Amino acid sequence: YKAVVSTQSTGGMLAVLWFLFVYISAALVYYLENVNTESEYFKTMFHSLWWSVVTMGTVGYGDIYPTAVLGKAAGVFVVFGSMIFLTLPMTVIVSRFNEVYDDMVQQEKLNGPDFTSMTLRERIVLIQTRESPRTL
């Protein structure tokens, strides 16, 4: 819980970057698909935004797709870019989890276990594992 809460500011920044990437990729594909002829699928910017969100979310419905060569190239760029945006939050959360866990282990080594946050059953198990088993 502490690891996820402590990454809120980083998560907010990644969300803003994700929305920016969605908008830029949608504008790029809209332009590339409509530069020479009017596209069958990318008639408006909203169609392009829909395609970009679906593609970056790795859903890929297939209802809208680029048909021009440059549009397909931009589509590949968007797919690989979305992989980066999907993995970045996980690496941030996992690294923060490791930091919080290391702090917790260090704190337990210094102060001993925190009995106030344990249930009675957890206390009994802890006592039984640290000492020879006995009944309480």
Side-chain angles (χ1 to χ4, degrees), residues 12-79:
M13 181 184 67
L14 287 172
V16 168
L17 289 175
W18 187 82
F19 283 116
L20 186 65
F21 190 74
V22 164
Y23 184 77
I24 290 171
S25 64
L28 179 67
V29 168
Y30 177 76
Y31 173 75
L32 292 175
E33 285 292 312
N34 291 303
V35 70
N36 292 330
T37 61
E38 187 174 327
S39 174
E40 177 184 350
Y41 299 112
F42 298 94
K43 296 175 185 166
T44 66
M45 185 64 181
F46 292 113
H47 288 99
S48 296
L49 284 169
W50 168 253
W51 172 84
S52 184
V53 167
V54 168
T55 302
M56 288 199 55
T58 67
V59 177
Y61 290 128
D63 56 346
I64 298 175
Y65 53 90
T67 55
V69 174
L70 291 176
K72 290 178 182 180
V76 170
F77 170 74
V78 171
V79 168

Side-chain angles (χ1 to χ4, degrees), residues 108 112-124 126 130:
E108 190 171 304
D114 180 19
F115 288 107
T116 59
S117 64
M118 292 183 178
T119 64
L120 180 61
R121 184 180 188 114
E122 290 172 332
R123 292 179 193 172
I124 292 171
L126 185 63
R130 288 185 178 233

